[in-house]
């Protein structure tokens, strides 16, 4: 019998629900202090995970939850990128 590969779980900072890492998108504050959308989950820096869902992203923007998690002002372009990714899904 093959051993089940452990699926890394992450918590969405908006919904507080746990999801497999692959289902969430990571937003990172880089060591330089910029905020980037980490599409492949490997960027250096302090990350926060969001469910790739329009409602969740808009709620994150409104509540500024990412600003608190990343301790930096998150530019609107980050939310635009995220919403663009939702539309592509």
């Amino acid at each position: 019998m093959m051993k089940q590969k452990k699926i890394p779980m992450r918590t969405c900072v908006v919904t507080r629900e746990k999801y497999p890492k692959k289902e969430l998108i990571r937003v990172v504050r880089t060591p330089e202090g910029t905020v980037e959308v980490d599409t492949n989950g490997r960027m250096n820096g302090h990350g926060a995970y969001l469910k790739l869902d329009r409602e969740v992203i808009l709620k994150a923007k409104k509540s500024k939850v990412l600003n608190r998690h990343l301790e930096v002002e998150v530019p609107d372009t980050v939310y635009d990128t995220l919403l663009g990714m939702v539309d592509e899904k």
Side-chain angles (χ1 to χ4, degrees):
M1 207 169 103
M2 275 189 61
K3 193 169 171 277
Q4 279 284 304
K5 200 168 155 250
K6 197 169 167 296
I7 299 169
M9 301 292 280
R10 295 292 181 266
T11 303
C12 171
V13 295
V14 175
T15 64
R16 293 251 160 259
E17 293 174 290
K18 278 197 182 312
Y19 295 98
K21 189 174 163 189
K22 291 258 177 283
E23 290 177 27
L24 298 176
I25 190 73
R26 185 168 177 249
V27 181
V28 180
R29 182 192 72 223
T30 65
E32 295 76 49
T34 61
V35 177
E36 310 277 339
V37 175
D38 182 2
T39 46
N40 57 13
R42 299 242 187 300
M43 273 175 118
N44 265 344
H46 185 70
Y49 289 87
L50 282 176
K51 188 173 181 212
L52 204 47
D53 174 272
R54 180 170 291 279
E55 296 292 303
V56 170
I57 293 162
L58 292 173
K59 197 184 249 180
K61 184 175 180 175
K62 210 172 112 186
S63 67
K64 297 199 183 300
V65 65
L66 286 176
N67 294 15
R68 287 198 300 279
H69 272 272
L70 302 176
E71 296 166 2
V72 66
E73 189 67 41
V74 176
D76 285 348
T77 52
V78 168
Y79 296 105
D80 296 341
T81 303
L82 290 168
L83 290 169
M85 289 168 78
V86 170
D87 295 339
E88 282 166 27
K89 242 174 65 170

